[in-house]
Short mmCIF file of all heavy atoms in Angstrom, two decimals:
data_model
loop_
_atom_site.label_atom_id
_atom_site.label_comp_id
_atom_site.label_asym_id
_atom_site.label_seq_id
_atom_site.Cartn_x
_atom_site.Cartn_y
_atom_site.Cartn_z
N LYS B 1174 39.16 -32.06 -31.07
CA LYS B 1174 40.35 -31.45 -31.86
C LYS B 1174 39.90 -30.14 -32.46
O LYS B 1174 38.85 -29.90 -32.95
CB LYS B 1174 40.58 -32.46 -33.07
CG LYS B 1174 41.58 -31.98 -34.12
CD LYS B 1174 42.90 -32.74 -33.94
CE LYS B 1174 43.98 -32.13 -34.94
NZ LYS B 1174 44.26 -30.80 -34.65
N LEU B 1175 40.86 -29.06 -32.24
CA LEU B 1175 40.46 -27.77 -32.60
C LEU B 1175 41.19 -27.35 -33.86
O LEU B 1175 42.28 -27.86 -34.19
CB LEU B 1175 40.80 -26.78 -31.46
CG LEU B 1175 40.13 -27.00 -30.15
CD1 LEU B 1175 40.58 -25.89 -29.14
CD2 LEU B 1175 38.66 -26.99 -30.28
N MET B 1176 40.59 -26.48 -34.55
CA MET B 1176 41.22 -26.05 -35.97
C MET B 1176 42.40 -25.09 -35.70
O MET B 1176 42.62 -24.51 -34.65
CB MET B 1176 40.15 -25.49 -36.78
CG MET B 1176 39.64 -24.14 -36.32
SD MET B 1176 38.31 -23.47 -37.53
CE MET B 1176 39.31 -23.06 -38.95
N MET B 1177 43.14 -24.98 -36.78
CA MET B 1177 44.29 -24.03 -36.82
C MET B 1177 45.13 -24.21 -35.49
O MET B 1177 45.45 -25.40 -35.14
CB MET B 1177 43.77 -22.65 -36.93
CG MET B 1177 43.10 -22.37 -38.32
SD MET B 1177 42.38 -20.80 -38.43
CE MET B 1177 43.68 -19.64 -38.35
N ASP B 1178 45.55 -23.15 -34.93
CA ASP B 1178 46.45 -23.27 -33.75
C ASP B 1178 45.67 -23.03 -32.46
O ASP B 1178 46.25 -22.58 -31.47
CB ASP B 1178 47.61 -22.19 -33.92
CG ASP B 1178 47.07 -20.84 -34.09
OD1 ASP B 1178 45.83 -20.58 -34.22
OD2 ASP B 1178 47.90 -19.86 -34.13
N HIS B 1179 44.37 -23.36 -32.46
CA HIS B 1179 43.51 -23.09 -31.34
C HIS B 1179 43.90 -23.82 -30.10
O HIS B 1179 43.61 -23.55 -29.02
CB HIS B 1179 42.05 -23.06 -31.68
CG HIS B 1179 41.64 -21.99 -32.61
ND1 HIS B 1179 40.29 -21.64 -32.72
CD2 HIS B 1179 42.33 -21.15 -33.39
CE1 HIS B 1179 40.18 -20.59 -33.52
NE2 HIS B 1179 41.40 -20.30 -33.95
N GLU B 1180 44.42 -25.01 -30.33
CA GLU B 1180 44.89 -25.88 -29.23
C GLU B 1180 46.01 -25.24 -28.55
O GLU B 1180 46.11 -25.20 -27.28
CB GLU B 1180 45.19 -27.30 -29.70
CG GLU B 1180 43.93 -28.05 -30.16
CD GLU B 1180 44.06 -29.54 -30.40
OE1 GLU B 1180 45.24 -30.06 -30.28
OE2 GLU B 1180 43.13 -30.15 -30.82
N GLU B 1181 46.99 -24.69 -29.33
CA GLU B 1181 48.08 -23.96 -28.70
C GLU B 1181 47.55 -22.84 -27.92
O GLU B 1181 48.11 -22.43 -26.85
CB GLU B 1181 48.99 -23.49 -29.79
CG GLU B 1181 50.30 -22.89 -29.25
CD GLU B 1181 51.02 -22.13 -30.31
OE1 GLU B 1181 50.86 -22.37 -31.57
OE2 GLU B 1181 51.95 -21.28 -29.92
N MET B 1182 46.53 -22.19 -28.47
CA MET B 1182 45.97 -20.98 -27.85
C MET B 1182 45.42 -21.35 -26.40
O MET B 1182 45.67 -20.68 -25.43
CB MET B 1182 44.83 -20.41 -28.59
CG MET B 1182 45.30 -19.70 -29.90
SD MET B 1182 43.89 -18.91 -30.73
CE MET B 1182 44.85 -18.09 -32.05
N VAL B 1183 44.77 -22.57 -26.33
CA VAL B 1183 44.21 -22.92 -25.09
C VAL B 1183 45.34 -23.27 -24.15
O VAL B 1183 45.25 -22.87 -22.91
CB VAL B 1183 43.29 -24.14 -25.30
CG1 VAL B 1183 42.80 -24.74 -23.98
CG2 VAL B 1183 42.13 -23.86 -26.19
N GLU B 1184 46.38 -23.92 -24.61
CA GLU B 1184 47.46 -24.20 -23.72
C GLU B 1184 48.04 -22.93 -23.15
O GLU B 1184 48.36 -22.87 -21.94
CB GLU B 1184 48.59 -24.95 -24.50
CG GLU B 1184 48.42 -26.42 -24.58
CD GLU B 1184 49.46 -27.01 -25.48
OE1 GLU B 1184 50.57 -26.57 -25.51
OE2 GLU B 1184 49.04 -27.94 -26.34
N ARG B 1185 48.33 -21.89 -24.07
CA ARG B 1185 48.90 -20.71 -23.56
C ARG B 1185 48.01 -19.91 -22.59
O ARG B 1185 48.45 -19.42 -21.58
CB ARG B 1185 49.25 -19.82 -24.75
CG ARG B 1185 50.55 -20.17 -25.36
CD ARG B 1185 50.98 -18.94 -26.18
NE ARG B 1185 52.19 -19.28 -26.89
CZ ARG B 1185 53.44 -18.92 -26.56
NH1 ARG B 1185 53.58 -18.28 -25.35
NH2 ARG B 1185 54.52 -19.20 -27.28
N ALA B 1186 46.80 -19.93 -22.95
CA ALA B 1186 45.76 -19.23 -22.06
C ALA B 1186 45.80 -19.94 -20.73
O ALA B 1186 45.84 -19.25 -19.68
CB ALA B 1186 44.32 -19.40 -22.63
N LEU B 1187 45.78 -21.22 -20.66
CA LEU B 1187 45.78 -21.95 -19.43
C LEU B 1187 47.08 -21.66 -18.61
O LEU B 1187 47.15 -21.45 -17.38
CB LEU B 1187 45.65 -23.41 -19.66
CG LEU B 1187 45.29 -24.36 -18.51
CD1 LEU B 1187 44.00 -23.67 -17.76
CD2 LEU B 1187 45.07 -25.71 -18.99
N ARG B 1188 48.20 -21.61 -19.33
CA ARG B 1188 49.47 -21.35 -18.75
C ARG B 1188 49.49 -19.96 -18.03
O ARG B 1188 49.91 -19.79 -16.91
CB ARG B 1188 50.59 -21.42 -19.78
CG ARG B 1188 51.95 -21.86 -19.15
CD ARG B 1188 52.93 -21.83 -20.32
NE ARG B 1188 52.63 -22.66 -21.41
CZ ARG B 1188 53.09 -22.55 -22.65
NH1 ARG B 1188 54.04 -21.54 -22.91
NH2 ARG B 1188 52.70 -23.31 -23.61
N VAL B 1189 49.04 -18.99 -18.77
CA VAL B 1189 48.92 -17.71 -18.23
C VAL B 1189 47.89 -17.56 -17.04
O VAL B 1189 48.19 -16.91 -16.05
CB VAL B 1189 48.65 -16.53 -19.34
CG1 VAL B 1189 48.46 -15.19 -18.70
CG2 VAL B 1189 49.67 -16.62 -20.43
N LEU B 1190 46.81 -18.30 -17.23
CA LEU B 1190 45.85 -18.25 -16.10
C LEU B 1190 46.49 -18.77 -14.93
O LEU B 1190 46.27 -18.31 -13.77
CB LEU B 1190 44.60 -18.99 -16.54
CG LEU B 1190 43.53 -19.29 -15.51
CD1 LEU B 1190 42.89 -17.94 -15.06
CD2 LEU B 1190 42.51 -20.20 -15.95
N ARG B 1191 47.08 -19.93 -15.00
CA ARG B 1191 47.77 -20.55 -13.83
C ARG B 1191 48.74 -19.62 -13.23
O ARG B 1191 48.78 -19.51 -11.98
CB ARG B 1191 48.58 -21.82 -14.28
CG ARG B 1191 47.64 -22.96 -14.54
CD ARG B 1191 48.36 -24.16 -15.03
NE ARG B 1191 47.34 -25.33 -15.11
CZ ARG B 1191 47.46 -26.35 -15.93
NH1 ARG B 1191 48.53 -26.44 -16.79
NH2 ARG B 1191 46.56 -27.25 -16.04
N HIS B 1192 49.43 -18.88 -14.05
CA HIS B 1192 50.42 -17.97 -13.60
C HIS B 1192 49.89 -16.76 -12.91
O HIS B 1192 50.33 -16.22 -11.93
CB HIS B 1192 51.22 -17.44 -14.76
CG HIS B 1192 52.58 -17.24 -14.48
ND1 HIS B 1192 53.07 -15.93 -14.41
CD2 HIS B 1192 53.59 -18.09 -14.24
CE1 HIS B 1192 54.37 -16.00 -14.11
NE2 HIS B 1192 54.73 -17.34 -13.94
N ASN B 1193 48.61 -16.35 -13.32
CA ASN B 1193 47.93 -15.24 -12.75
C ASN B 1193 47.12 -15.65 -11.49
O ASN B 1193 46.62 -14.71 -10.78
CB ASN B 1193 47.00 -14.64 -13.72
CG ASN B 1193 47.76 -13.82 -14.84
OD1 ASN B 1193 47.22 -13.56 -15.88
ND2 ASN B 1193 49.00 -13.57 -14.59
N LEU B 1194 47.20 -16.87 -11.19
CA LEU B 1194 46.29 -17.37 -10.18
C LEU B 1194 46.41 -16.68 -8.89
O LEU B 1194 45.44 -16.30 -8.19
CB LEU B 1194 46.48 -18.87 -9.97
CG LEU B 1194 45.39 -19.65 -9.23
CD1 LEU B 1194 44.03 -19.35 -9.68
CD2 LEU B 1194 45.75 -21.10 -9.33
N ASP B 1195 47.68 -16.48 -8.40
CA ASP B 1195 47.88 -15.79 -7.13
C ASP B 1195 47.90 -14.22 -7.36
O ASP B 1195 47.57 -13.55 -6.32
CB ASP B 1195 49.20 -16.18 -6.57
CG ASP B 1195 49.18 -17.69 -6.11
OD1 ASP B 1195 48.19 -18.00 -5.50
OD2 ASP B 1195 50.10 -18.40 -6.43
#
Side-chain angles (χ1 to χ4, degrees):
Chain B
K1174 174 105 184 60
L1175 302 182
M1176 67 182 293
M1177 295 172 64
D1178 55 357
H1179 288 199
E1180 294 188 356
E1181 186 196 341
M1182 288 184 176
V1183 174
E1184 272 173 44
R1185 274 199 187 261
L1187 194 52
R1188 208 181 309 156
V1189 175
L1190 174 64
R1191 282 178 178 152
H1192 214 255
N1193 288 163
L1194 195 50
D1195 290 317

